[in-house]
Amino acid sequence: MERVDVIADAAIEVIAAEGMRGLTHRAVDRAAGLPVGSTSYYARTRAALLELTIARIVVLDQVPLSAGGGGGLAEFVAGYAFEAITAGRTRMLARYEFALEATRRPELRAAYDEGGLQIRHQAAAVLKAAGSTDPSRHARIVVDWMEGTIFGALAGTGSLAPPTFESLLTSAQEILAGIGVE
């Protein structure tokens, strides 16, 4: 793994644990187990550190459909959501921190929006291949369901009893059936 990725991953950990206010170059150095000053070498300013971190989140959010293990589309969608609320919890918490920060910082808005557009474009392509009659609109429905479900499970009242893979699968099947793609 490249050192810049180690730094970005550590920044994700810091943001998830402490929020944006806890993100400092020294905190990232500590979290990454690097000598003091290492983060500053790769990201001289806080803005550069934020950009490096959001870029890493965008990369980590990309999952090829083949990662579904040969299951169907509903299994893939449910698996993506389940991974996000379990193994991907830290990444998603940091992503939500970025979402809020991007509402106040235009320089982050573009990078955050680009990541979201990549996910929607991928979803539209997958849905088109599955027979969707309106892939862009259907992608918005599916991605919004996933984002709402993930947020609810991590930061909303759903965190009291996060959904199981089986319940996510049932919901994904219902969503896909509702848009005519199964």
Side-chain angles (χ1 to χ4, degrees):
M1 181 182 296
E2 303 267 337
R3 177 154 298 190
V4 71
D5 293 337
V6 170
I7 289 169
D9 288 347
I12 290 168
E13 295 282 337
V14 169
I15 292 167
E18 301 177 35
M20 286 294 189
R21 289 182 183 233
L23 182 68
T24 64
H25 287 77
R26 284 184 186 255
V28 173
D29 287 340
R30 273 193 306 276
L34 296 172
V36 172
S38 297
T39 298
S40 291
Y41 178 79
Y42 290 92
R44 301 295 284 158
T45 65
R46 179 177 172 80
L49 180 57
L50 290 169
E51 288 173 19
L52 180 117
T53 307
I54 191 66
R56 180 70 173 157
I57 289 171
V58 168
V59 167
L60 294 173
D61 277 347
Q62 305 304 310
V63 178
L65 185 57
S66 61
L73 184 56
E75 288 83 2
F76 176 76
V77 170
Y80 184 92
F82 188 71
E83 185 280 334
I85 62 174
T86 55
R89 181 180 193 280
T90 299
R91 179 186 82 248
M92 296 307 293
L93 289 172
R95 183 149 77 67
Y96 294 137
E97 290 281 347
F98 267 100
L100 292 172
E101 191 71 12
T103 65
R104 297 178 287 273
R105 298 184 62 159
E107 67 274 14
L108 291 180
R109 182 88 258 162
Y112 185 82
D113 288 348
E114 179 58 33
L117 288 173
Q118 286 179 24
I119 290 170
R120 288 185 193 274
H121 290 312
Q122 286 181 337
V126 168
L127 290 168
K128 182 178 181 179
S132 170
T133 57
D134 192 348
S136 293
R137 187 171 64 81
H138 291 159
R140 183 177 192 123
I141 291 167
V142 172
V143 172
D144 286 353
W145 170 78
M146 285 192 308
E147 287 184 351
T149 298
I150 295 165
F151 183 85
L154 294 179
T157 57
S159 66
L160 299 173
T164 63
F165 174 79
E166 291 74 22
S167 67
L168 291 168
L169 178 58
T170 299
S171 295
Q173 290 167 332
E174 291 169 348
I175 293 288
L176 294 170
I179 62 173
V181 177
E182 296 182 57

